[in-house]
Amino acid sequence: MGDSFKDLCQKLKRLPGLGMRSSERIALHLLLEKRELARELSDALTVALDQVRACPVCGNMTEGEGRCVICSDERRIRDQLCIVEHVPDLISMERTGCFQGLYHVLHGKLSPLRGISPGDLNFSTLQERMAMDGFKEIILALPNDVEAEATCHYIVEEIIGKRDVSISRIGFGLPSGGSILYADSTTLRNALESRRKYS
Amino acid sequence: MGDSFKDLCQKLKRLPGLGMRSSERIALHLLLEKRELARELSDALTVALDQVRACPVCGNMTEGEGRCVICSDERRIRDQLCIVEHVPDLISMERTGCFQGLYHVLHGKLSPLRGISPGDLNFSTLQERMAMDGFKEIILALPNDVEAEATCHYIVEEIIGKRDVSISRIGFGLPSGGSILYADSTTLRNALESRRKYS
């Protein structure tokens, strides 16, 4: 197999959720069976790169200049801030319809192992917003793992600091439809720790 | 969400193995977190489109002009032909090291439901090869489903016809490491039908 094919596979492999096999399969599909789609995809990428940007305030996706639709929506509750790792997490939160405040997208989480330090994440604007925007409540909607744990700790200690603000982290436990039988021990431990009084 | 983002997601969704969620995730990753990779990917696609082609003889992938590495390899057994659906299937067959003949890649299978008729598949060169190349054995290495069944039938009736050649289809049954307990009924029926005398 030649170089330009290998090169394309290598780049596809760096996309989230794709491994070696699926990258090869996609590359072959594009180059042998759907060459028109391959051209369209390359063009669509170039156009979207030109149009789509991170919101300068919160890091959400936005097209064109200026703030994103959520930051510029005057009906949102402006003293509640929900911090998420990635934009798809924000989209999932929005889908619940349960949160009316503003967001801040970190675009990752701290990870010494993968070489991701505070300078790599969207922390500088978070710091500015903390100083300027008068939030009353911060909700940390980061995943249930060690790296997210460290990231929450950093945000609370280094960014929020001694400010008078209510901070919470989303609940962990049995997922909707989850059974005790198939739950792993960490999930069950989380569920026990976060038990609530039966009323 | 804007148009250029939606457009990119629509195109990604047409790739094999990607759904709406994974397309969105990849698009956001490329546009917000890895813009450099997005540019590289668009370029790599353009370069590969220019370099990579289907082999004019068998439909396998090849870079530059002329026949693919398998068709031009003089050590291959030239009177055995293995017919596969896609190039990754050919790669999997090669990985076994058990087949030393030539290949023919159809780039799909017949499907009235999905509107795929004989004219959409790589049949015309197969017809030429059948007339010219003097194959003694044809192995149909197509998947175990109804569309592949119909495709095999078409090849045998319409393309091979009355030629004096041995035709076989790869065996179906319990996969390596498979248990009877978790096998579905179709697999078990196939396994029973293709039972072999214990020696």
Side-chain angles (χ1 to χ4, degrees):
Chain A
M1 292 185 221
D3 286 346
S4 71
F5 176 74
K6 266 192 204 143
D7 186 51
L8 177 60
C9 289
Q10 289 295 340
K11 300 220 155 54
L12 285 169
K13 216 185 122 208
R14 288 167 60 196
L15 299 180
L18 297 190
M20 201 56 221
R21 288 275 180 108
S22 43
S23 304
E24 266 185 26
R25 186 170 161 227
I26 288 176
L28 288 166
H29 183 75
L30 284 172
L31 297 173
L32 299 183
E33 292 161 17
K34 292 277 178 322
R35 292 175 66 86
E36 195 45 49
L37 175 59
R39 249 172 237 112
E40 287 171 23
L41 185 61
S42 172
D43 294 345
L45 255 175
T46 310
V47 171
L49 267 173
D50 186 56
Q51 309 257 305
V52 176
R53 271 179 180 59
C55 169
V57 177
C58 75
N60 184 19
M61 186 197 69
T62 183
E63 296 213 22
E65 306 295 316
R67 300 183 300 168
C68 71
V69 283
I70 294 180
C71 284
S72 51
D73 181 350
E74 291 305 324
R75 287 162 305 177
R76 307 291 300 207
I77 300 168
R78 307 197 78 82
D79 58 8
Q80 284 185 348
L81 184 73
C82 177
I83 300 180
V84 295
E85 187 184 354
H86 295 296
V87 172
D89 303 339
L90 180 158
I91 296 172
S92 294
M93 293 294 289
E94 283 296 282
R95 220 173 264 138
T96 67
C98 293
F99 179 72
Q100 304 299 323
L102 301 176
Y103 289 94
H104 195 84
V105 185
L106 299 179
H107 296 304
K109 53 192 174 183
L110 293 177
S111 171
L113 276 176
R114 293 182 293 126
I116 299 170
S117 60
D120 299 315
L121 301 180
N122 189 19
F123 279 143
S124 61
T125 46
L126 180 60
Q127 210 127 25
E128 288 170 28
R129 295 179 86 185
M130 280 300 146
M132 310 278 286
D133 294 1
F135 293 115
K136 290 201 179 115
E137 185 177 0
I138 312 282
I139 299 169
L140 300 163
L142 296 175
N144 183 355
D145 59 41
V146 181
E147 295 178 340
E149 182 80 37
T151 311
C152 287
H153 187 78
Y154 180 88
I155 293 171
V156 172
E157 294 298 318
E158 302 295 324
I159 295 185
I160 304 180
K162 303 238 175 294
R163 284 186 185 89
D164 180 26
V165 52
S166 148
I167 309 171
S168 62
R169 194 169 172 197
I170 54 163
F172 298 143
L174 215 56
S176 166
S179 72
I180 310 273
L181 178 61
Y182 293 113
D184 62 286
S185 333
T186 312
T187 298
L188 279 186
R189 193 162 55 236
N190 288 162
L192 264 176
E193 283 168 2
S194 63
R195 66 191 181 275
R196 297 197 297 183
K197 257 223 145 60
Y198 199 84
S199 57
Chain B
M1 296 188 218
D3 286 345
S4 72
F5 176 73
K6 265 192 206 145
D7 186 50
L8 177 60
C9 290
Q10 289 296 340
K11 300 220 153 54
L12 286 169
K13 216 186 119 205
R14 288 167 59 195
L15 300 179
L18 297 190
M20 200 57 221
R21 287 277 180 106
S22 44
S23 303
E24 266 185 25
R25 186 168 161 227
I26 287 175
L28 288 165
H29 183 75
L30 284 172
L31 297 173
L32 299 183
E33 291 160 18
K34 292 279 182 307
R35 293 176 64 86
E36 196 45 50
L37 175 60
R39 247 172 238 113
E40 287 170 22
L41 186 60
S42 171
D43 293 346
L45 254 175
T46 310
V47 172
L49 266 172
D50 187 53
Q51 310 257 305
V52 178
R53 270 178 184 57
C55 170
V57 177
C58 74
N60 183 18
M61 186 195 68
T62 184
E63 296 212 20
E65 307 295 317
R67 297 183 302 168
C68 71
V69 284
I70 294 180
C71 283
S72 51
D73 180 349
E74 292 304 324
R75 288 162 305 177
R76 307 292 300 208
I77 301 169
R78 307 197 79 81
D79 58 9
Q80 284 185 346
L81 184 73
C82 177
I83 301 180
V84 295
E85 188 184 354
H86 295 295
V87 173
D89 302 340
L90 181 158
I91 296 171
S92 295
M93 293 294 289
E94 283 297 282
R95 219 174 266 135
T96 67
C98 294
F99 179 73
Q100 305 298 325
L102 302 175
Y103 289 94
H104 195 85
V105 184
L106 299 179
H107 297 304
K109 52 192 173 182
L110 294 177
S111 171
L113 276 176
R114 294 183 293 125
I116 299 169
S117 58
D120 300 315
L121 301 180
N122 189 19
F123 279 142
S124 60
T125 46
L126 181 59
Q127 210 127 25
E128 288 169 28
R129 296 179 85 184
M130 280 300 145
M132 311 277 288
D133 293 2
F135 293 114
K136 290 201 182 115
E137 185 177 359
I138 311 283
I139 298 169
L140 300 163
L142 297 175
N144 183 354
D145 59 40
V146 181
E147 295 177 341
E149 181 79 39
T151 311
C152 287
H153 186 78
Y154 180 87
I155 293 171
V156 172
E157 295 296 319
E158 304 294 325
I159 295 184
I160 305 180
K162 303 239 174 295
R163 283 187 186 86
D164 180 27
V165 52
S166 148
I167 309 170
S168 61
R169 194 169 173 197
I170 53 164
F172 298 143
L174 215 56
S176 165
S179 71
I180 311 271
L181 177 61
Y182 293 113
D184 62 285
S185 334
T186 311
T187 299
L188 279 186
R189 195 162 51 233
N190 289 162
L192 264 176
E193 283 167 3
S194 61
R195 66 191 181 274
R196 296 199 296 184
K197 257 220 144 61
Y198 199 83
S199 58

